[in-house]
Structure formats: C-alpha cells, structure tokens
Amino acid sequence: MGETLERHEFGAEVGRLLDLVVHALYSEREIFLRELVANAADAVDRRRFESLTDHALGLPAEAKLRILPDKEARTLTISDPGSGMTKAELAQHLGTIARSGTAAFAKSLADAPAGDKPSLIGQFGVGFYSAFMVADRVEVTSRRAGTEEAWVWASEGKGDYTLAPATREEAGTDIVLHMKSDAEEFLEPWRLQAIIRKWADHIAIPITVAQDGKDEPANEGTALWRKPKSEVTEEQYKDFYRHVAHAFDEPWATLHWRAEGSMEFSALLFVPGMKPFQAVEGERESRLRLHVRRMFITDQANLLPSWLRFVQGVVDTEDLPLNVSREMLQSTPVLARIRKAVTNRVLSELKTQAKDAAKYEAFWDNFGPVLKEGVWEDAEHRKDVAALLRFRSSAVEGWTSLADYVARMKEGQEAIYVLLGDDPAALAKSPQLEGFKAKGVEVLLLSDGIDAFWPDRLGTFEEKPIRSITQGTVDLSKVAGGAEQAEAADVALLLPLLKDALKEEVSEVRATDRLVDSAVVLAAPEHGPDLQMQRMLRRAGRGGGGGLPVLEVNPRHPLIRKLAESAAGDTALFEKAGLLLDLARVQDGDVPRDPAGFAKQVAAALAG
C-alpha cells in the first residue's frame, strides 16, 4: 500500500476553513458528532434515492448508522451503509473545497440532463471538518455503491492529506477519529448517546452506539415534525430548533401542525427568540427546509415570502415526487398552495401572539423592520401585515398599533399622521410636532429605513389616510382644542422678501399655524417625497428628489415679529433669511448649508 500512497495538498479554501472551524466556528465541541451523523444520514438518503432507478443499489435490510468508541485505541468510528465515495469524490469533497451536500444535491437535480442520475445528497459539507476539533487524525474509508473498489482518505488537518487503496466488505463509509487527549469524554457511550438524543433524534435511520460489545439504540428515528404535538416535549422542540436554526437561544414561538385534505404536509416552524447572525449581508430569501417524505430536498424553495425570512423550520410533504427538480419547484401548483397555507398560518400565529403586548414587543424589537417589508412588497397580505406593525408615538409610552392610534384619534382629525427620521428620541423633540402637541393630535414616529417607503404603498388604514407631517400643508383647524396663542404678526411684506432672498434654495416661504415655540420649520412640497426620503436620496448620491423645500415661518414667534416689523428697511435681511433656513435644517437633523459660515453668524449674534 505504501507504494500507492498519494499525498496531496489541501485546496486553499479547505486550509482556511480548517483553521476557522477548529478555532472559531463551533462553541460546543459536541457538535462534531451532529455534523458527522448528519452527513452519514445524507449518504444513506443518497443511496436510497439512487436505488429508485437502480435497484442493485438498494440498502441492506437492517441498515443503520453505527458509532463505535474504542477507549483503548482512543478512536471513535462512525460507520454508515450509504452511497460511499470513489477516489475522485474523496479528493473532491474532502480535499478541494468545502461544499454543502444538500445545496449541491438540489442544484444537481435541477441541472442534470433528462435521464442522467444526479449528483446526490451525501456529499460532505463544512461540518465534516469539525472532526478536527476533537481529533488529531481523521481517516475516511469509503466504497462507492455499485463498485468493488475502496479508498482511504487520511489527514491530520495540517495542510495535506493522503489517498490509498483500502478494503471494505460493503458499500458505505467509515470515519475513524483518533481523539485528542482532551476529548476522551467523547469515547464514553453514555455521552455519545446523550449527544445523539439531543441533536439527531429525528433522523429516520436507526443510530446505535456500541457498548460492551452490543449496539445500543441511540435515537427514536421519528421525524419530530411528523409526531403529534401531544407526544413532543418543550425540550425536544427547543433542541430541534437549535439544530435546524444553528442557534443557541430559545424559540419565541413554535408552530407545529399537519395539513390534510386537498394537500398534505407536516410543518414544524420556529420564530427565533433572538435576531440571528446574518452570514450574508443582504440575504433576503426564506431558508425553510423542504422535505419530501422525510427526505431533505432543498432550503431554496422560498416556502415563505422574504418578509418572513426570519422563520426557521421544516415543511414535509407527500405531494411532490422525490426527484423533484428546481424548475418543477418554481412552477408546480402544489408548492404554490403550500406556500400560501404556510404564510397564512404564520400570519395567524403572529396575530395571536400580538395580543400579549409584552411578549410581542420582544418579537418586534428583533424583526419589526423585516415585517414592514411585507407592506411594501406584498399586495395580497398588505392589510394583514399592517395590523401587526408597531410604532413609537408622540402621545403614548412604548409601542402602539395603527388600530390603537385610530381609536385615539381626535374629533375632527382626518388622517393618521407620521413623522419620519433616523432617531426616535430626536423625533420626539422635533419642532415639526409642536402644533400637533398643542392640539393633542398624536403623531407616529418612524425611524426604520423601510419607513420611507411603505406608508405611500399602504395609503390608508381603516379608511384613514396616512400622511407625513413634513409633506405639504397640514390643516388642523378642524381639530377642537389647543391652547390660546398670541396674535399673529402681519407677514405679508416679509414673506416675499424672504422668498426672494432664498429663491435658489426654497420653492416657497409661507406662514404656518403648526408651530408654537419654534420660529421656522421645513416642509416638502405637496407632491413628491417627504423630507426624510429626500435626505435618504441625497445620502445615496441621487439628489434630493421632489424639488426644493418649503420654508414655513411662525408669525407668532418674537423673532418673526421683529423681522416683520423691520422688513422694509432691513439691509441685513438677506443674511438673516439664510440663517433662518439653516436653523430649520438643523432642527430637522440636517446640516447647515455652510457649517463654518453658520457658526460665524451664530458667534457674531451672541457677541452682538
């Protein structure tokens, strides 16, 4: 064998991956066993799938995954009767690049020419390399189903691996881990059984752990999602959630049901208790796992819309063929009906949970901005999602809903008023609110990026229009109440002078009744984006959009009174007009047109 031993360097990707996995990827070392058992189960599924078209590849009558600890030799063996690997496959899957076996399975099904056998599930993924967290050396002996040839792949995880001929009586794979001195706990049968029960109890194929010369069962082998709810404990739900979501928190909500009738499927879904780490920035697709008769097919079936992408779990159906292709997934009406049913079930659960304000607040803090995307992009569910939204308000503490806002609307109030910005605390102090507070009119404070988009798309809620208070003219005259205000100054002469001084920078200068303590405020024209959207467009390098802003002045403010009285002969009015505009910009969280010049003007005014 020594003469035929081949030594190869790892691909660069594997070299980097090994360092990452061993030192950073997993916080619980026991997960190595979950990963290796999951790969072994995938290999069995692969062989079962292949046997649908080639009966000679059928599984042995009592197929099982065997885990064999050997304390004296300090080795741990995971043995499976799966599809096995050829020499080329060992080199490709374990030495060249880390591959997701399940993702490759789905892609191969979609891309395979008609009549060709696809490349199937049992390809080792990133998880295989977790073996090096507990092992100094790993040997993989594998014989491809349908062949007589076996090969052994071996490595110490330090940059290279070897390939050599081997013998194995049956098709399948043996992984032998030569355990590190600080990993001997994983040679205890009771410890191995506990890990299997925790992470792999749902795997259909029997898993055994060798103890005192006997193979002792270690898993129930029942897919958790197919069991009646009454037979599943909270602890089992939590363990499965952590497995399927790769998480370590507890689920905020668990949805477990079976649909029967025109379509049949089982579903076990979880809403996470914490905002998960987003491995790929901008990833917006749902990753629910689609199974067909317990066999995993893909996590790219988009079983939920993108605005519910935080939901984790499994949907398992009887109504699709095992060899379903990605093209079929995109077009089959069965999957479309499943998508609709699952989406409606999640929405129903959120509505139920929203009745508990304290519990729902935890969900909203984590996933509120994502849920808002549904109002923007999903016409079918827009009204349902809108009812689930929560907001900060100028009138009440904590979160409030649109329905609660409408119930509190003042007599004579015609619209749901919103103020958009970047910071809720700053919005609560905005001069834009002064007139509304004086009249006792509530304003919702919107500070998520998506808030600049969805209100226009929703338009109304319970027949009440949604209006940004920074856009156009807001008339509160029909709303009763409000404190007595000072008499307004005559600004008929001042306004055109200010407009002339600022003609390049504002579209209009007008008097307003919606200010109390402030002298000026900015507004957007009636048509086009409001002020927050204009700021977002400028940051994105796309200009302000919507034209020049409107400068509104408070004719009851002492500063405006003084300017109105001396407007005709005020030679410095041009500079004062610019200062008023800068004041309005600063109040809205924007910067002065010329920050250095603005600072000098303020300093001069203070010194004067």
Side-chain angles (χ1 to χ4, degrees):
M1 183 179 291
E3 296 179 0
T4 56
L5 183 74
E6 300 177 11
R7 188 171 298 276
H8 303 267
E9 296 294 317
F10 275 127
E13 304 91 339
V14 172
R16 289 192 295 269
L17 182 67
L18 278 168
D19 184 68
L20 175 66
V21 168
V22 173
H23 297 106
L25 188 56
Y26 296 115
S27 58
E28 295 187 32
R29 295 175 88 192
E30 69 180 40
I31 289 179
F32 85 92
L33 188 59
R34 178 191 75 179
E35 298 294 343
L36 296 182
V37 166
N39 285 335
D42 281 351
V44 173
D45 280 342
R46 175 187 183 183
R47 184 169 175 179
R48 184 183 289 123
F49 184 95
E50 289 178 325
S51 69
L52 296 175
T53 53
D54 187 347
H55 299 300
L57 301 179
L59 284 165
E62 297 183 1
K64 61 184 178 182
L65 305 184
R66 302 180 68 220
I67 300 173
L68 302 102
D70 186 332
K71 291 182 182 179
E72 289 187 16
R74 228 164 72 189
T75 62
L76 180 66
T77 301
I78 295 96
S79 179
D80 72 69
S83 55
M85 286 178 281
T86 64
K87 175 187 176 184
E89 287 171 330
L90 282 166
Q92 179 184 15
H93 301 321
L94 304 189
T96 306
I97 187 169
R99 302 180 61 164
S100 166
T102 53
F105 169 64
K107 186 176 189 306
S108 65
L109 283 172
D111 297 343
D116 282 8
K117 289 180 184 177
S119 172
L120 296 170
I121 291 177
Q123 298 172 346
F124 286 77
V126 171
F128 167 76
Y129 303 105
S130 65
F132 288 100
M133 290 194 299
V134 296
D136 290 318
R137 177 177 173 81
V138 178
E139 297 164 359
V140 180
T141 302
S142 196
R143 174 178 164 182
R144 188 72 167 88
T147 73
E148 301 296 322
E149 199 174 72
W151 287 82
V152 59
W153 176 102
S155 176
E156 296 178 358
K158 296 179 180 178
D160 63 6
Y161 64 90
T162 60
L163 282 169
T167 57
R168 195 178 193 277
E169 290 186 10
E170 301 286 342
T173 300
D174 297 325
I175 301 176
V176 180
L177 310 182
H178 295 262
M179 305 300 282
K180 295 179 178 179
S181 58
D182 64 350
E184 291 185 353
E185 64 177 292
F186 300 113
L187 295 174
E188 298 289 346
W190 65 268
R191 180 77 168 98
L192 298 169
Q193 287 180 327
I195 296 170
I196 294 301
R197 283 194 300 272
K198 178 177 180 180
W199 294 110
D201 203 40
H202 64 283
I203 289 177
I205 187 171
I207 303 172
T208 62
V209 175
Q211 186 172 7
D212 299 328
K214 295 182 179 180
D215 286 345
E216 300 290 345
N219 70 321
E220 284 193 26
T222 301
L224 201 65
W225 55 89
R226 287 189 169 231
K227 297 178 73 172
K229 290 172 66 174
S230 59
E231 296 180 13
V232 184
T233 66
E234 285 301 312
E235 199 60 35
Q236 287 175 314
Y237 279 136
K238 290 176 186 177
D239 289 342
F240 183 69
Y241 160 70
R242 290 166 180 159
H243 165 69
V244 76
H246 304 290
F248 294 93
D249 62 317
E250 294 187 5
W252 177 81
T254 301
L255 295 77
H256 185 188
W257 80 101
R258 177 166 179 79
E260 296 179 331
S262 60
M263 58 181 174
E264 292 189 4
F265 66 88
S266 299
L268 178 52
L269 310 183
F270 304 94
V271 178
M274 293 175 58
K275 189 175 182 179
F277 169 73
Q278 192 172 8
V280 180
E281 194 65 34
E283 175 66 56
R284 294 189 69 248
E285 291 187 346
S286 166
R287 292 295 183 186
L288 284 190
R289 295 166 59 92
L290 174 64
H291 291 237
V292 175
R293 298 170 206 147
R294 298 207 296 194
M295 186 186 293
F296 174 67
I297 298 299
T298 182
D299 63 356
Q300 298 181 43
N302 295 320
L303 292 170
L304 283 172
S306 63
W307 47 273
L308 288 174
R309 60 185 175 273
F310 49 83
V311 178
Q312 305 285 337
V314 170
V315 174
D316 187 357
T317 181
E318 304 283 339
D319 296 332
L320 291 169
L322 280 172
N323 60 347
V324 63
S325 69
R326 186 170 296 165
E327 287 80 3
M328 183 184 291
L329 286 178
Q330 292 172 347
S331 61
T332 177
V334 171
L335 204 60
R337 291 197 297 270
I338 291 175
R339 287 187 185 115
K340 184 173 183 178
V342 173
T343 300
N344 288 338
R345 181 66 178 80
V346 173
L347 278 173
S348 176
E349 178 69 18
L350 292 178
K351 288 177 186 176
T352 300
Q353 297 287 358
K355 296 174 183 177
D356 183 339
K359 183 177 181 181
Y360 193 69
E361 180 176 337
F363 162 79
W364 187 258
D365 286 338
N366 287 327
F367 304 112
V370 179
L371 197 64
K372 286 177 179 177
E373 295 174 15
V375 181
W376 166 254
E377 65 188 30
D378 194 330
E380 180 182 357
H381 298 102
R382 185 166 292 142
K383 290 184 178 180
D384 292 320
V385 177
L388 294 168
L389 304 187
R390 297 295 183 267
F391 308 93
R392 298 298 183 187
S393 163
S394 65
V396 296
E397 293 292 324
W399 296 100
T400 189
S401 67
L402 287 171
D404 289 341
Y405 177 100
V406 171
R408 291 191 296 265
M409 284 176 63
K410 299 274 287 185
E411 185 178 349
Q413 182 180 340
E414 297 177 342
I416 297 170
Y417 293 111
V418 299
L419 175 61
L420 283 69
D422 297 320
D423 178 18
L427 287 176
K429 301 174 183 176
S430 171
Q432 302 277 5
L433 296 173
E434 290 177 2
F436 293 86
K437 287 181 177 179
K439 285 278 192 176
V441 174
E442 183 176 359
V443 178
L444 299 178
L445 310 177
L446 279 56
S447 58
D448 292 323
I450 187 68
D451 289 331
F453 302 92
W454 68 261
D456 283 342
R457 190 62 62 86
L458 181 60
T460 63
F461 184 83
E462 294 186 5
E463 300 182 354
K464 303 292 184 182
I466 299 172
R467 289 204 55 185
S468 167
I469 66 172
T470 68
Q471 190 169 23
T473 305
V474 178
D475 182 9
L476 297 178
S477 62
K478 295 181 182 179
V479 180
E484 190 76 24
Q485 294 199 49
E487 186 178 346
D490 183 359
V491 292
L493 180 61
L494 177 64
L495 296 183
L497 292 174
L498 291 176
K499 174 65 166 59
D500 185 58
L502 299 170
K503 59 187 176 184
E504 302 296 329
E505 298 175 271
V506 300
S507 60
E508 186 182 352
V509 179
R510 66 189 177 214
T512 183
D513 290 327
R514 66 190 185 100
L515 292 175
V516 177
D517 299 316
S518 300
V520 290
V521 74
L522 286 176
E526 189 75 36
H527 303 288
D530 79 342
L531 295 183
Q532 173 67 358
M533 176 63 88
Q534 291 185 32
R535 284 191 286 269
M536 291 179 65
L537 290 171
R538 285 199 298 271
R539 290 173 197 158
R542 297 175 59 184
L548 297 173
V550 175
L551 179 66
E552 296 187 343
V553 301
N554 178 5
R556 296 176 175 82
H557 193 278
L559 174 58
I560 302 302
R561 280 181 174 281
K562 185 176 180 181
L563 290 175
E565 290 169 1
S566 60
D570 192 344
T571 56
L573 187 63
F574 185 89
E575 288 186 6
K576 292 175 182 177
L579 192 57
L580 288 176
L581 178 58
D582 283 337
L583 281 173
R585 289 169 64 94
V586 170
Q587 287 174 167
D588 261 356
D590 217 335
V591 295
R593 301 159 302 155
D594 175 12
F598 178 73
K600 287 180 182 178
Q601 285 180 292
V602 173
L606 290 172

